[in-house]
Amino acid sequence: LLTHHGGGPERNPSAARLAALLGNVTFLERPFHPTTLVSVASTALRGRRRQYETRAHLDEVEEAEARLRMALKAGRLGSWILDLATMELSCTERCKAIFGRAPDEPLTYAELRHSLPADDRAAMEEAVARAVATGADYEAEHRTLWPDGSSHWVEMRARVAHAVDGTVDRLIGVALDAT
């Protein structure tokens, strides 16, 4: 917007209200040099291009997430993340169901471990330790005892994820009822 002698938002309450209403706007105070106009227009065009590129990238991310959700659902897979610093387990409703839990029931890592028979638990803990130490994929198939007492087979696979500093900080994986 072109203004005349002090018409910008820093000195003019009406201009400030207009800037708030319009959003992405630049005020040019007259008189100005033509180079200033070219510079402002070029900057605005670059900003607009970045907005379109960002919007396209966000659309791609949303589409990829939707494909992943569909693949997990089609494969009857539950997904989970284990934070290695806190040993906090977060998992999807499907993952909880694989371990005999209702969607609104919590499933902690300790509860998951204790749902396994002792020999399967030791093998699972060894596989987790090996994956964390070596960066190798985690793969395990073991029995799990549901709260109702029934026994089921679960196949779990995961990959290690790294923090910004390069250290292993999470296991991100899927679980499948292999009964």
Side-chain angles (χ1 to χ4, degrees):
L1 294 177
L2 298 177
T3 65
H4 186 67
H5 297 297
E10 61 281 344
R11 291 181 272 175
N12 184 336
S14 296
R17 283 191 300 279
L18 188 57
L21 178 69
L22 295 175
N24 191 8
V25 61
T26 302
F27 289 87
L28 279 177
E29 188 171 326
R30 293 184 293 184
F32 59 87
H33 194 276
T35 306
T36 303
L37 179 60
V38 170
S39 175
V40 168
S42 296
T43 300
L45 285 172
R46 279 192 307 275
R48 181 57 82 183
R49 261 190 241 112
R50 281 193 302 271
Q51 286 175 334
Y52 285 125
E53 290 167 1
T54 300
R55 187 177 301 140
H57 179 70
L58 289 174
D59 289 344
E60 289 172 7
V61 169
E62 287 176 12
E63 183 179 331
E65 287 176 351
R67 284 194 311 264
L68 177 59
R69 281 191 298 276
M70 184 60 72
L72 288 170
K73 186 175 182 179
R76 297 186 341 254
L77 298 170
S79 62
W80 54 272
I81 300 173
L82 178 62
D83 183 315
L84 297 170
T86 64
M87 298 310 279
E88 182 178 323
L89 178 69
S90 59
C91 51
T92 62
E93 291 179 2
R94 177 70 188 142
C95 187
K96 289 178 184 182
I98 290 169
F99 286 92
R101 304 303 197 283
D104 59 340
E105 283 184 85
L107 177 60
T108 67
Y109 182 64
E111 290 169 335
L112 184 143
R113 285 179 54 249
H114 291 301
S115 75
L116 307 181
D119 52 337
D120 286 2
R121 185 180 319 135
M124 185 216 41
E125 290 171 345
E126 182 181 308
V128 167
R130 185 174 42 255
V132 171
T134 66
D137 287 353
Y138 166 76
E139 296 181 20
E141 189 171 312
H142 49 74
R143 294 166 291 161
T144 181
L145 298 175
W146 283 14
D148 67 6
S150 61
S151 179
H152 299 261
W153 282 91
V154 175
E155 183 178 347
M156 297 180 71
R157 296 176 182 263
R159 289 226 157 140
V160 295
H162 298 86
V164 176
D165 65 4
T167 60
V168 173
D169 71 341
R170 291 168 289 153
L171 281 175
I172 300 174
V174 294
L176 171 68
D177 185 339
T179 303

